[in-house]
Amino acid sequence: MVTLSLVHYIFIIMTIIILGFLILKKEIVIPCVIGILLIAFAYTGDVISSIQALNNAVIVSNGELFSIMLVIALVTAMSRAMHKAGIDEIMIRPVRRIIRKPVGAFWGIGICMLIISWLIWPSPAVVLIGALLLPVAGRVGLPAIWAAVAMNIFGHGMGLSSDFFIQGAPAITAASADISVTSVMSASVPLWAVMSVTVAVVSFVMMKRDMKNNRAAETKEITADYAAEEVRRPGLAKVLAVIVTLSFVVMIVAMVVLHIQGGDATAFVAGSALLLTCVITVADSGLGAALGDTVDYLKEGFIFSVRIFAPVLVIAGFFFLGSEQYAVSVFGEGAPAILNDISYFISEHVPVNSVFCVIIEIVVGIITGLDGSGFSGLPLVGSIAGTFAATTGLNTASLAALGQITTVWVGGGTIIPWGVVPVAAICGISPSELARKNMIPVISGIIVTGIVAMFLI
């Protein structure tokens, strides 16, 4: 029997307060700092240790997020070099003949993001889509926020929650529920389809409404760099555009054929971006000038990345404390597994029937997704599904699939500000703003999917 301590209740209360601030469109760094201090003091009973925990929590979150910060910085540097050489202008001309309006850009970005996310996961997909399609979206008038929403819901939502090709998510869920991967994947298809369609439709309707109302904040261009301008050396720009395009194609093929996935795929893309930055700059500026220009591009990239990530490191520091793995890094051995404990506590104190089983799976998926990791909660929702099915005779696979979909949609990077940072950074918008835009569509999808699940389990 799991019991909750003062640490757990502080985490619950501060999470509610932080989410309230988000809904009110307020920044949440100060509440997160207070939350870390209170949790640390409740656990250690020592003021000095609690203040030190602030530093340690940020260091831990930095260790987790630095790889993302780095790839954003390197890709931004590459985009600066591409823009200076006129490569982006050359590359987007053919695409502009296909994508002519914001609606086409929204669905085009989304579908491409979904396909690439299925093949190589969302993180590297964000980089590739950002480099290739965001300039087009900016030209045809798609607001930055809605380009980001499309990338989020199709990639980190639809792509990661299904994971039909790599099958990492269903494998973890199936193992913890003690059923086959095939059964989880089969059971997830109707639920995934309902969730995906609902979220996409609600997001699209919200986008059309906002653009119709001509909200200034929503209709700003993705970036001023995407304004059309004359290419200085069109011949060289065309050659470099072919090289960059072929490089992207080779990267995708290599990742699929060689099974380079997840963090390895992100590292491959980041390294390639740095290499391309050097090649483009030398070709455009000459070796002498390139020695200095490359440094300038890297500085711009890192300044941009740090500006986006600075508040996120503190915010993530609080929510990472909910995960035992990160809590141990801050407090040492014996640190509580706050999110898991809360989830088990709920499952033990709620009546067990089909309706409550669905609700519990959804609630547990949401709670375990708060740490911003789409996969950390999968063992828990899988095991809970197996337990409920054994005691009630419900469909284990459908229940586990529901838990998987909810956990990944929440924690994989759609409505958690510290989870949407890669997309927000690429699009040049606030992570909190993006999370707020995603919240209504994703919550709507979870509710509709939960209702459908009651008829399937």
Side-chain angles (χ1 to χ4, degrees):
M1 180 71 70
V2 176
T3 58
L4 301 185
S5 66
L6 179 60
V7 169
H8 296 87
Y9 288 114
I10 290 174
F11 188 90
I12 293 171
I13 292 171
M14 290 308 302
T15 297
I16 294 173
I17 292 173
I18 290 168
L19 294 177
F21 272 74
L22 279 175
I23 294 173
L24 295 174
K25 299 184 178 182
K26 303 295 182 181
E27 295 296 337
I28 57 175
V29 169
I30 291 179
C32 288
V33 169
I34 294 172
I36 295 172
L37 279 173
L38 292 177
I39 289 174
F41 185 73
Y43 181 73
T44 65
D46 182 75
V47 175
I48 301 300
S49 297
S50 301
I51 296 174
Q52 291 172 332
L54 274 174
N55 174 76
N56 295 337
V58 175
I59 290 176
V60 169
S61 67
N62 178 72
E64 178 66 18
L65 297 174
F66 181 74
S67 61
I68 304 175
M69 293 175 61
L70 179 61
V71 71
I72 295 299
L74 295 179
V75 170
T76 301
M78 181 184 70
S79 69
R80 296 293 189 267
M82 290 173 60
H83 180 69
K84 178 71 178 301
I87 298 172
D88 53 355
E89 172 66 24
I90 298 297
M91 290 177 64
I92 67 177
R93 285 176 181 172
V95 185
R96 286 179 63 191
R97 298 190 184 101
I98 302 173
I99 300 177
R100 297 177 178 273
K101 296 181 179 180
V103 170
F106 178 86
W107 292 107
I109 286 175
I111 293 171
C112 290
M113 186 73 187
L114 174 61
I115 294 172
I116 298 178
S117 295
W118 270 337
L119 297 175
I120 60 175
W121 282 30
S123 296
V126 167
V127 177
L128 297 173
I129 295 299
L132 291 174
L133 293 185
L134 278 184
V136 180
R139 293 287 182 84
V140 300
L142 180 67
I145 185 64
W146 290 110
V149 168
M151 295 175 73
N152 252 166
I153 64 174
F154 282 88
H156 296 85
M158 297 181 196
L160 197 58
S161 68
S162 56
D163 199 9
F164 291 135
F165 292 86
I166 299 174
Q167 299 182 13
I172 297 173
T173 305
S176 55
D178 196 24
I179 54 179
S180 68
V181 176
T182 304
S183 63
V184 172
M185 292 181 63
S186 298
S188 71
V189 171
L191 297 175
W192 172 82
V194 170
M195 180 75 184
S196 300
V197 171
T198 302
V199 176
V201 170
V202 173
S203 298
F204 181 71
V205 170
M206 289 176 60
M207 181 193 76
K208 294 290 288 183
R209 183 199 62 190
D210 284 347
M211 294 185 68
K212 183 178 180 180
N213 293 338
N214 291 319
R215 295 185 180 180
E218 307 297 343
T219 56
K220 63 184 180 183
E221 290 186 5
I222 290 175
T223 171
D225 282 349
Y226 296 149
E229 60 181 51
E230 184 179 353
V231 179
R232 293 182 293 107
R233 301 162 66 185
L236 176 62
K238 289 178 181 178
V239 172
L240 292 175
V242 171
I243 292 174
V244 172
T245 303
L246 289 176
S247 298
F248 286 162
V249 172
V250 170
M251 277 189 274
I252 295 174
V253 172
M255 285 186 279
V256 173
V257 173
L258 301 177
H259 303 290
I260 304 174
Q261 302 164 356
D264 292 336
T266 303
F268 182 45
V269 171
S272 300
L274 179 56
L275 181 59
L276 283 170
T277 301
C278 296
V279 171
I280 292 168
T281 308
V282 171
D284 183 53
S285 305
L287 180 59
L291 295 175
D293 290 347
T294 303
V295 174
D296 292 336
Y297 295 145
L298 286 175
K299 286 180 180 178
E300 291 180 35
F302 275 92
I303 290 171
F304 176 80
S305 183
V306 171
R307 187 171 67 246
I308 294 292
F309 276 84
V312 177
L313 294 178
V314 179
I315 296 169
F318 170 77
F319 284 94
F320 281 170
L321 290 181
S323 169
E324 183 178 15
Q325 172 188 350
Y326 299 110
V328 168
S329 299
V330 176
F331 298 125
E333 292 297 328
I338 299 175
L339 291 174
N340 278 2
D341 291 344
I342 294 172
S343 299
Y344 276 122
F345 181 84
I346 292 174
S347 65
E348 291 172 352
H349 291 80
V350 175
V352 179
N353 57 51
S354 60
V355 174
F356 280 106
C357 284
V358 168
I359 293 175
I360 292 171
E361 277 290 305
I362 291 175
V363 171
V364 169
I366 292 173
I367 292 174
T368 55
L370 289 177
D371 67 354
S373 170
F375 282 24
S376 65
L378 295 183
L380 180 56
V381 295
S383 61
I384 289 178
T387 301
F388 285 166
T391 57
T392 62
L394 297 175
N395 187 313
T396 308
S398 294
L399 204 54
L402 174 65
Q404 171 185 303
I405 290 170
T406 305
T407 303
V408 175
W409 269 93
V410 173
T414 59
I415 61 174
I416 304 299
W418 47 102
V420 303
V421 173
V423 173
I426 285 289
C427 296
I429 60 175
S430 163
S432 297
E433 180 187 7
L434 176 54
R436 282 193 293 267
K437 279 297 180 190
N438 288 336
M439 192 167 293
I440 292 177
V442 173
I443 291 177
S444 300
I446 290 174
I447 292 173
V448 174
T449 305
I451 293 173
V452 173
M454 293 179 186
F455 296 95
L456 298 178
I457 64 171

